[in-house]
Amino acid sequence: MSMATLPKSTPKPPPAPEDVPDGYELVDGKLRRLPMAAQSSWIAKRILRLIDEHCLLHRSGIVFPPDAAYNCFPSKPTQVRRPDVSVIAGDPTTYVPPAEGILQVVPLLVVEVVSPRERVTELMRKVNDFRSAGTPLIWVIVPSSRQATIYRADGSVSLITDPAELSGEGVLPGFAMPLAAVLPPTSTV
């Protein structure tokens, strides 16, 4: 009795950047589901609100929530990333967003709030993608340690701990946000 040889299936090509479903990124040709815990989502919303208020008041940038997708990586033209919060250049009072598609501009600021199930290696790959694209300011906030790491375009990196504050530096002049303003309150036992 001979065994029939099954035909080899051809690998399915990765989706085009514009076909990446909500809640996913396209990383190195593979769809990657984004882990977002309730607490991380809550913190990201608070950060977004504070940055958005500043940008509206000073007409200094357009703020996007985590469903905004970016395809702005010259060395990885099909890469699609979705930061938890992001800001692009422009006046929010006159900006008209595209009706469809993915943002193809490099954000001025990217904020990532670490979820408990998020893998450090994946998070650092995302940070490095935005750094290589030229994003001038990246904040990675770790709620469990009440810390934030700040990555700048000049290559410098800083670590701050609550009660310190994050600054918009040259990207969002005049913006400052204490970590405590966006993190859950600490217990006072």
Side-chain angles (χ1 to χ4, degrees):
M1 184 184 250
S2 66
M3 294 280 289
T5 306
L6 295 175
K8 292 184 180 181
S9 61
T10 57
K12 186 177 176 182
E18 60 275 4
D19 295 330
V20 175
D22 290 344
Y24 286 83
E25 293 181 323
L26 183 58
V27 181
D28 299 328
K30 296 178 183 158
L31 285 176
R32 179 180 168 272
R33 189 174 166 280
L34 296 172
M36 189 74 163
Q39 184 183 74
S40 301
S41 180
W42 181 83
I43 292 167
K45 177 195 64 101
R46 293 169 63 96
I47 293 167
L48 184 141
R49 184 179 47 80
L50 292 172
I51 294 173
D52 194 45
E53 287 173 2
H54 175 86
C55 287
L56 283 168
L57 181 64
H58 298 282
R59 300 172 80 157
S60 60
I62 295 103
V63 184
F64 285 92
D67 57 353
Y70 288 86
N71 175 239
C72 60
F73 311 100
S75 64
K76 298 177 180 180
T78 62
Q79 197 93 308
V80 174
R81 293 292 197 172
R82 296 180 194 270
D84 295 335
V85 178
S86 56
V87 179
I88 65 170
D91 180 344
T93 64
T94 59
Y95 176 72
V96 178
E100 292 182 4
I102 295 173
L103 295 166
Q104 307 230 337
V105 299
V106 175
L108 298 173
L109 171 66
V110 162
V111 181
E112 284 294 320
V113 182
V114 178
S115 291
R117 292 184 12 200
E118 195 160 14
R119 296 173 57 184
V120 173
T121 54
E122 292 298 321
L123 176 65
M124 290 314 301
R125 287 175 65 197
K126 187 176 200 174
V127 167
N128 289 332
D129 280 349
F130 279 108
R131 288 181 85 183
S132 69
T135 299
L137 190 60
I138 301 169
W139 300 339
V140 176
I141 299 171
V142 183
S144 60
S145 63
R146 302 185 74 81
Q147 294 180 318
T149 304
I150 304 154
Y151 298 87
R152 299 178 187 87
D154 65 6
S156 65
V157 178
S158 301
L159 177 69
I160 66 166
T161 302
D162 179 28
E165 63 183 22
L166 289 161
S167 163
E169 301 183 11
V171 173
L172 295 175
F175 180 77
M177 176 186 75
L179 275 176
V182 295
L183 295 174
T186 58
S187 61
T188 56
V189 177

